[in-house]
Amino acid sequence: MLVSGPTTDFQRINLAKLEVNYASHKREPLGKSFNRGHKLPAHMQRPEFAFGMSGTFCESAKELLYPSRSDRLMNSQEDEARYKKSHGSVAPGEQKHRNYRWEAAKIDPARHRFGVKPVERDAGEVAVILNPEMNESTVPLTVAPQHLEDRRTLYDHLGKPRHLGAADTDNLPNNHVFGVTTQDSDSAWQCIQGEYSPEEQQPDPDLGRAVNHGWRNVTADSRLFGIPTIRSDIPAPARRSIADGQNYGDDADAQTLLYPEEFASSGVSNAEFGEPRDKKYLQGLFQKIGHEVPDEDFELIWKQATHSVRYTSVGQASIADYRDALNDFFEAQGRGPAALQQWQSGVQSM
């Protein structure tokens, strides 16, 4: 039963009655510790008794992590000087002293400034050096046009050589052209093309052929050099090695490999079906594959097969010839007695 709201006294009493039979409730009642039956000595039953050993006074963890400025924890001056000498390290922000004897040189390191003192203080200030316009005694620079300077280089100057790339252009007429006049000689086109006679324009006699004796290959037009891929010019060995990959003309061509014959997997080629066969051989072969016919019908089928010239000559029959004749017989037989009689009459008239 589900009861909402706070637990009542009746519910608590009822729950206590239900749990009184549990071993855990008997061993550890509510509000009391588990009693294992141990009997402690008399001194351990005193209220001031405590387990463990009393500790001795030493540095606290706070002093170890954040040491104070007490004399007991600070190093002496001798220890600090010894540490600086051995480790070459100083405190953060502390100036490093090398124990120079400044008094012998009459120098106060707190006020002395090293360097050369300028002769004129006003003329050597950094602001005046970076900003020359602040110095009134300095004449400002004047930027002259470039064409004016170029014109000055055209004239002679005392103690200086004259500019060789310029001339006295003041006395030249307006239609003056610099450079050398064209001479009466061959033009650039003639220099490139040349003036060669028809005989000189002919190719060299050794172009495309050898002219030295002993290096000429004069053979017939039907002569072929090299070794053919298919060695049909030599007989195949009686016992071919497994590592012999030479084609002696008896291997299959590319067409046969790409488009194999219907019964190539069984080792039977299409040419086998066109070979002339014996009469008894054909009759027994087709009987084994389930096409047994009466003797009088077989004679007619054999007669039609021997008159076919599709695969063999007249008077001979192959598997393909007999198959075609047998198919005609089955087709006439399937159309009815009239068609079968017509087929028989046609074969007998051959």
Side-chain angles (χ1 to χ4, degrees):
M1 180 178 63
L2 297 177
V3 180
S4 60
T7 305
T8 61
D9 294 340
F10 174 76
Q11 293 176 350
R12 286 194 293 270
I13 295 172
N14 190 20
L15 181 61
K17 290 181 179 180
L18 295 175
E19 293 183 352
V20 72
N21 297 325
Y22 288 100
S24 59
H25 182 76
K26 295 179 180 179
R27 184 173 62 252
E28 299 181 14
L30 184 62
K32 297 181 181 179
S33 61
F34 176 54
N35 187 7
R36 292 180 171 81
H38 298 163
K39 293 183 179 181
L40 300 178
H43 68 280
M44 297 180 64
Q45 297 181 4
R46 298 175 183 175
E48 65 273 8
F49 177 79
F51 291 94
M53 299 178 61
S54 60
T56 58
F57 176 76
C58 62
E59 291 83 3
S60 63
K62 181 179 179 181
E63 289 292 337
L64 295 177
L65 296 176
Y66 307 100
S68 61
R69 306 295 297 180
S70 61
D71 297 338
R72 186 173 58 85
L73 298 177
M74 296 300 294
N75 297 325
S76 61
Q77 295 182 357
E78 292 79 5
D79 295 337
E80 292 183 357
R82 189 181 303 107
Y83 180 81
K84 293 177 182 179
K85 183 177 181 180
S86 61
H87 291 74
S89 178
V90 295
E94 181 183 0
Q95 184 180 6
K96 189 174 183 179
H97 297 280
R98 294 180 173 84
N99 298 325
Y100 294 153
R101 298 177 59 188
W102 299 108
E103 63 277 2
K106 298 180 180 180
I107 295 176
D108 185 5
R111 298 183 178 182
H112 184 77
R113 297 294 181 269
F114 293 91
V116 180
K117 184 178 180 180
V119 179
E120 296 181 2
R121 180 177 179 83
D122 296 338
E125 293 182 354
V126 178
V128 177
I129 296 174
L130 297 179
N131 302 284
E133 63 275 4
M134 297 175 59
N135 191 355
E136 299 178 356
S137 61
T138 304
V139 179
L141 299 177
T142 303
V143 180
Q146 181 65 30
H147 64 86
L148 179 60
E149 294 297 328
D150 295 340
R151 189 174 183 83
R152 289 177 180 176
T153 58
L154 301 178
Y155 303 98
D156 295 333
H157 296 275
L158 182 62
K160 295 182 180 180
R162 189 174 183 180
H163 185 58
L164 301 178
D168 190 4
T169 58
D170 294 340
N171 300 326
L172 295 177
N174 296 332
N175 57 353
H176 179 77
V177 179
F178 293 92
V180 181
T181 58
T182 304
Q183 304 295 328
D184 295 335
S185 61
D186 297 336
S187 62
W189 182 85
Q190 293 177 350
C191 293
I192 296 175
Q193 298 294 331
E195 296 180 356
Y196 300 100
S197 62
E199 292 77 10
E200 294 176 342
Q201 296 180 15
Q202 296 300 321
D204 296 336
D206 58 347
L207 181 62
R209 58 183 179 178
V211 296
N212 297 330
H213 296 282
W215 297 90
R216 300 176 181 177
N217 296 326
V218 181
T219 59
D221 296 338
S222 60
R223 170 69 184 274
L224 299 178
F225 294 91
I227 300 176
T229 304
I230 301 176
R231 298 304 306 273
S232 58
D233 55 330
I234 58 176
R239 294 183 178 180
R240 295 183 60 177
S241 172
I242 192 173
D244 187 4
Q246 180 64 47
N247 185 2
Y248 295 96
D250 54 352
D251 292 351
D253 53 2
Q255 182 180 2
T256 306
L257 297 176
L258 295 176
Y259 306 99
E261 297 177 351
E262 184 177 0
F263 301 99
S265 59
S266 301
V268 180
S269 62
N270 293 340
E272 296 290 337
F273 295 93
E275 295 292 333
R277 302 293 180 179
D278 186 59
K279 183 177 181 180
K280 294 183 179 181
Y281 175 82
L282 293 175
Q283 185 178 11
L285 176 64
F286 280 87
Q287 286 180 359
K288 291 179 180 179
I289 63 178
H291 296 294
E292 184 177 359
V293 295
D295 294 340
E296 58 274 9
D297 293 334
F298 173 76
E299 294 295 336
L300 295 176
I301 296 173
W302 170 258
K303 184 177 181 180
Q304 180 181 351
T306 54
H307 283 77
S308 176
V309 293
R310 184 177 180 182
Y311 301 100
T312 57
S313 58
V314 179
Q316 296 179 346
S318 62
I319 297 176
D321 294 331
Y322 187 85
R323 178 198 58 194
D324 295 342
L326 183 63
N327 291 336
D328 294 342
F329 168 73
F330 287 149
E331 183 180 359
Q333 190 179 21
R335 290 201 304 264
L340 180 60
Q341 186 177 1
Q342 183 180 1
W343 173 80
Q344 292 175 352
S345 301
V347 175
Q348 291 175 357
S349 61
M350 290 182 180

